[in-house]
Amino acid sequence: MSAGRGAGLRKATKLDKVRWLILCSADLGLLAGVLGVLDVVYRWREGWLPAPLTVTAVALVLIVTVLASRSIRIAVRGGPRPTWMLAIAGTMVLLLTVIPIVWVMPLWLGMAAPFVRRRTLLLLSLASFAVITVYEALVNGFNLPGLLLQVAVTVVVAGGVLANLWLWRIAKEAYEGEEARALLAVSEERLRFARDLNDLLGQSLTDIATRTAGAEQALPVDPEAAGREMFEVRDLARQTLREVRHTVQSYRTLDLGEVLASVRAVLEAADVRCTVDAETGELTAETRTLLATVVREGATNVLKHSKAQHCTITIKEGILEMSNDGVTGPTGEHAPNGLGGLAQRVSTAGGALSAAPTPQGAYLLRVVVPA
């Protein structure tokens, strides 16, 4: 059982760990319930409360404590206001004011704090102070220490719940922002490449289409003019092809070290622990560029097609291995514009690419190229 919990903790995201920490911190306020139980038992031992009333009071305090713990988890999850839960706990707290026990009213106020306006919470707190103080004054006389104790416990419990929820919202917004930035960083290069190709090919293909249509119209009337026009179309097509090859070659010239650093930063930002062990000094420029392209595509697949918690990248003697956990489903054929296209490029360069799940439950992308 402990091994299973340990594995679950290792696979938990940073946001999960922050949530657990927030809940544990908020649960410290539930110590007021424990103190309430001790208060009731103390009064019974001193002979101030009969046994049946003591048992009933202890049960009510414990129920209110459990409901308060549940309410905090609903608030962190972002669930709707548990009206029935607040009503039941409120009724029990009112019953306990007969004794009275100053520890349970702050618990109820802590339950209500995430679901009511701050002004409403302040009014409820002031009303609770007034009710218990007047009751104490009528029964035993004015009790200033008791009033101060109730105020202090209320501030600690209700204020602690609000502070923890505020920290939780900040952590959640920061996590979602990091995830969005990671996805944007991965897609930015593809978008830029698509935009550049569109700017490059758009006008050229429009000119080719227009001149071809003009040659088609001129063909029956003036075949020689139509032929000259088609020669110009051919030259324009060749020029466009040279420009496309030059642009693609510029994109293909990648610095492997920079790509590894960028991929590691992107994966870490997406809460994927990334370990890099690369020996690239002996690789040729063409091989380094090819491996850089594979690493970028592999990182994209890690973010898009898995719930990985850890990714390992090793490059030694011309062999790239990129493994990650968190494979969420069966794997199919490689997309022609993704790993499928890269496999063809690697094969053309005299290497081999494979990508498949391992018996250990990971997913391994392996590339062997001439060193």
Side-chain angles (χ1 to χ4, degrees), residues 85-275:
M85 192 181 299
L86 292 173
I88 292 175
T91 302
M92 295 179 178
V93 169
L94 290 177
L95 293 175
L96 289 169
T97 56
V98 176
I99 296 178
I101 301 176
V102 299
W103 307 99
V104 291
M105 181 60 77
L107 278 179
W108 185 82
L109 292 171
M111 289 179 60
F115 306 105
V116 299
R117 295 181 179 180
R118 301 296 174 263
R119 181 181 301 176
T120 303
L121 179 63
L122 178 60
L123 293 175
L124 289 174
S125 301
L126 294 176
S128 69
F129 301 155
V131 169
I132 294 181
T133 301
V134 171
Y135 182 84
E136 282 273 6
L138 293 175
V139 176
N140 300 316
F142 179 68
N143 185 2
L144 180 59
L147 174 61
L148 296 178
L149 177 62
Q150 185 185 2
V151 172
V153 175
T154 300
V155 171
V156 170
V157 175
V161 169
L162 293 178
N164 280 293
L165 290 177
W166 176 71
L167 291 174
W168 166 245
R169 285 193 292 269
I170 291 178
K172 189 176 180 181
E173 290 173 1
Y175 181 84
E176 292 173 349
E178 286 184 355
E179 191 175 32
R181 284 195 297 271
L183 295 177
L184 288 174
V186 171
S187 62
E188 185 180 45
E189 282 295 312
R190 291 186 175 182
L191 292 175
R192 185 162 66 92
F193 182 66
R195 183 174 61 250
D196 290 349
L197 282 183
N198 179 72
D199 295 340
L200 177 65
L201 293 176
Q203 186 60 44
S204 298
L205 293 179
T206 300
D207 292 344
I208 290 174
T210 301
R211 290 194 172 190
T212 302
E216 182 181 7
Q217 294 176 356
L219 183 61
V221 180
D222 190 350
E224 293 184 1
R228 290 193 298 272
E229 189 71 16
M230 289 306 299
F231 278 120
E232 293 181 4
V233 169
R234 182 196 61 186
D235 293 339
L236 179 60
R238 288 176 175 175
Q239 179 183 353
T240 302
L241 180 59
R242 286 193 298 270
E243 292 176 352
V244 170
R245 284 176 175 173
H246 175 74
T247 301
V248 172
Q249 185 63 35
S250 297
Y251 273 90
R252 286 180 176 177
T253 305
L254 300 173
D255 185 277
L256 180 56
E258 292 182 358
V259 170
L260 287 172
S262 175
V263 163
R264 182 174 183 175
V266 168
L267 291 177
E268 293 283 354
D271 204 22
V272 180
R273 300 191 309 276
C274 184
T275 303

Side-chain angles (χ1 to χ4, degrees), residues 265-308:
V266 168
L267 291 177
E268 293 283 354
D271 204 22
V272 180
R273 300 191 309 276
C274 184
T275 303
V276 177
D277 182 10
E279 299 176 1
T280 61
E282 302 298 325
L283 301 178
T284 64
E286 292 78 9
T287 299
R288 291 168 63 88
T289 297
L290 181 58
L291 292 183
T293 306
V294 174
V295 169
R296 282 202 313 186
E297 182 63 29
T300 301
N301 290 339
V302 169
L303 293 175
K304 291 177 59 178
H305 304 303
S306 76
K307 295 181 179 179

Side-chain angles (χ1 to χ4, degrees), residues 313-348:
I313 304 173
T314 60
I315 302 176
K316 292 184 178 180
E317 299 179 355
I319 300 177
L320 163 67
E321 291 188 346
M322 189 171 181
S323 65
N324 67 276
D325 55 6
V327 179
T328 56
T331 57
E333 296 294 329
H334 303 319
N337 59 341
L339 290 180
L342 285 178
Q344 295 178 359
R345 287 183 56 185
V346 172
S347 177
T348 302

Side-chain angles (χ1 to χ4, degrees), residues 4-135:
R5 286 197 298 267
L9 183 60
R10 287 193 298 271
K11 291 186 177 182
T13 65
K14 290 181 180 178
L15 191 63
D16 290 331
K17 295 175 182 177
V18 171
R19 183 175 66 250
W20 296 338
L21 180 62
I22 292 293
L23 290 175
C24 290
S25 178
D27 282 343
L28 292 177
L30 302 180
L31 290 175
V34 177
L35 294 175
V37 172
L38 295 177
D39 187 10
V40 173
V41 173
Y42 173 78
R43 298 187 187 199
W44 168 70
R45 295 187 63 179
E46 292 295 321
W48 300 344
L49 294 177
L53 182 57
T54 300
V55 173
T56 302
V58 168
L60 292 178
V61 172
L62 291 176
I63 292 174
V64 172
T65 304
V66 172
L67 292 178
S69 176
R70 178 61 181 165
S71 175
I72 293 171
R73 281 150 178 78
I74 293 175
V76 170
R77 193 173 64 245
R81 180 170 61 192
T83 304
W84 66 271
M85 192 181 299
L86 292 173
I88 292 175
T91 302
M92 295 179 178
V93 169
L94 290 177
L95 293 175
L96 289 169
T97 56
V98 176
I99 296 178
I101 301 176
V102 299
W103 307 99
V104 291
M105 181 60 77
L107 278 179
W108 185 82
L109 292 171
M111 289 179 60
F115 306 105
V116 299
R117 295 181 179 180
R118 301 296 174 263
R119 181 181 301 176
T120 303
L121 179 63
L122 178 60
L123 293 175
L124 289 174
S125 301
L126 294 176
S128 69
F129 301 155
V131 169
I132 294 181
T133 301
V134 171
Y135 182 84

